[in-house]
Amino acid sequence: MHVPDGFIDAPVSAAAGVVAAGAVAVSLRGARRELDERTAPLAGLVAAFIFAVQMLNFPVAAGTSGHLLGGALAAILVGPYTGVLCISVVLLMQGILFADGGLTALGVNVLDMGITTTVVAYALFRGLARVLPRTRRSVTVASFVAALVSVPAAAGVFTLIYWIGGTTDIPIGKVFTAMVGVHVLIGIGEAVITALTVGAVVAVRPDLVHGARGLTAPLKLRVDGELVDAPARQPVAPVAARSPRGLWATGLITALVLAGFVSFYASASPDGLEKVAADQGIDKKTEEHAAKDSPLADYGVKDISDARVSGGLAGVIGVGATIVVGSGVFYVLRRRRTPDAPAGSAHDREMV
């Protein structure tokens, strides 16, 4: 759903940029409260992982493909504020290095793919977490539903932005129907990827999953026919003391393999927005990307003729650049953590 330059007129693109910049500023402040010494290193990894998975377009209908947006995944793993920053870093790297998503449309893309998906997904996730049983399986189920809804929600927001500032005169009803229809299908793929990833992390390190914190149900004992809270156990090795290095290394290797090798087998069909734009005539005034001459444009390394090597190397470079930039941002935010945000809190309890 990367919006290129020329789809949205300059005034609306500028307004979207202002809104996106404001949301990023708020997220920079909010992320200080979400990040601690264990999760800050993982936030950069989440951004790099989302970058890698976004290279894996999957077929969803005849001649159409989709890819992960990642807002739900980022919000559930590292928190909504940090999640917005993760997606923003990914979009910035894609726009500057790979000519994917217009530079003048960067604000539109951050607003649509970063803010909308994160806010919608996390709000729905927290709502479901309050009514579902307090189990790890419930976190996975809530992740699936939240991710599924977030994608057509983003399609609806794009339609609204296009209705306000679209550069071609197309009946907005047709645009809405086409966008939401195809992105419901893409949302199923998003939901599967998000649920599998969240479920895998929750299975091994639930203490590192932001959305799984504070959901521990107290152990109950039956005494004289009545249920009472069991005494709190004192673990020999507190979960908080366990290093996340193993998870970090596994995640990085996975991201590199996905971007450097698996991406070669991704669907070559146009994604949902590209397909709708071509069918409805939205793309009539598409402008050339300012970074079209980048040595990594279109996810290939310039002057390397072998498509497999070129695409794989570009993917590896993208993962590396994203994790360096993202980790740098989150390291600085962690260092500037607000004094009223304690690193260890009751939210860090492991789920049962």
Side-chain angles (χ1 to χ4, degrees):
M1 201 185 294
H2 294 77
V3 180
D5 295 323
F7 275 26
I8 309 298
D9 64 28
V12 174
S13 293
V18 171
V19 174
V24 169
V26 172
S27 297
L28 286 169
R29 186 174 182 83
R32 298 179 193 174
R33 299 191 297 271
E34 293 175 343
L35 298 170
D36 58 31
E37 65 280 355
R38 293 172 299 127
T39 57
L42 295 178
L45 175 62
V46 169
F49 181 80
I50 289 173
F51 173 90
V53 179
Q54 283 196 5
M55 294 182 66
L56 308 180
N57 281 47
F58 49 85
V60 294
T64 310
S65 70
H67 62 70
L68 182 81
L69 298 186
L73 178 62
I76 294 166
L77 288 180
V78 294
Y81 294 110
T82 308
V84 168
L85 298 180
C86 285
I87 304 301
S88 298
V89 168
V90 171
L91 292 170
L92 183 63
M93 294 295 99
Q94 291 170 332
I96 293 176
L97 298 180
F98 299 93
D100 188 9
L103 295 184
T104 62
L106 181 60
V108 173
N109 285 317
V110 170
L111 178 59
D112 193 28
M113 294 178 63
I115 299 166
T116 299
T117 57
T118 301
V119 171
V120 170
Y122 197 72
L124 182 55
F125 175 84
R126 296 308 303 177
L128 290 171
R130 291 189 179 95
V131 299
L132 293 174
R134 296 181 175 184
T135 64
R136 298 178 185 180
R137 181 175 298 178
S138 295
V139 172
T140 304
V141 171
S143 300
F144 182 95
V145 176
L148 174 62
V149 174
S150 70
V151 177
V157 169
F158 167 79
T159 305
L160 176 61
I161 295 173
Y162 185 80
W163 178 55
I164 298 171
T167 55
T168 55
D169 187 16
I170 307 296
I172 199 63
K174 291 184 177 180
V175 176
F176 178 80
T177 301
M179 282 293 294
V180 173
V182 71
H183 283 90
V184 166
L185 300 177
I186 295 174
I188 296 173
E190 176 105 9
V192 170
I193 295 171
T194 300
L196 289 175
T197 305
V198 171
V201 180
V202 165
V204 295
R205 291 300 303 267
D207 58 302
L208 297 179
V209 178
H210 182 90
R213 297 177 182 180
L215 299 178
T216 305
L219 180 64
K220 297 287 186 178
L221 296 178
R222 187 174 295 277
V223 178
D224 296 331
E226 296 184 1
L227 291 176
V228 298
D229 291 341
R233 294 186 303 167
Q234 296 297 327
V236 176
V239 172
R242 294 167 56 191
S243 171
R245 291 178 181 176
L247 180 62
W248 193 92
T250 301
L252 178 59
I253 292 172
T254 302
L256 291 172
V257 171
L258 291 176
F261 176 74
V262 181
S263 62
F264 180 77
Y265 301 97
S267 173
S269 298
D271 66 23
L273 177 58
E274 292 172 332
K275 179 65 172 175
V276 172
D279 290 346
Q280 302 295 327
I282 296 175
D283 59 356
K284 291 178 181 178
K285 296 186 179 181
T286 304
E287 300 173 2
E288 285 192 334
H289 200 287
K292 64 182 178 63
D293 295 325
S294 165
L296 297 173
D298 297 324
Y299 297 92
V301 178
K302 190 176 182 180
D303 298 330
I304 295 182
S305 58
D306 188 297
R308 186 189 299 269
V309 175
S310 177
L313 184 57
V316 169
I317 293 172
V319 168
T322 304
I323 201 168
V324 168
V325 173
S327 297
V329 170
F330 299 124
Y331 174 78
V332 171
L333 290 175
R334 169 65 188 129
R335 296 277 293 181
R336 299 179 62 184
R337 185 186 181 96
T338 52
D340 61 339
S345 69
H347 290 302
D348 291 332
R349 296 175 298 177
E350 182 177 356
M351 293 181 61
V352 294

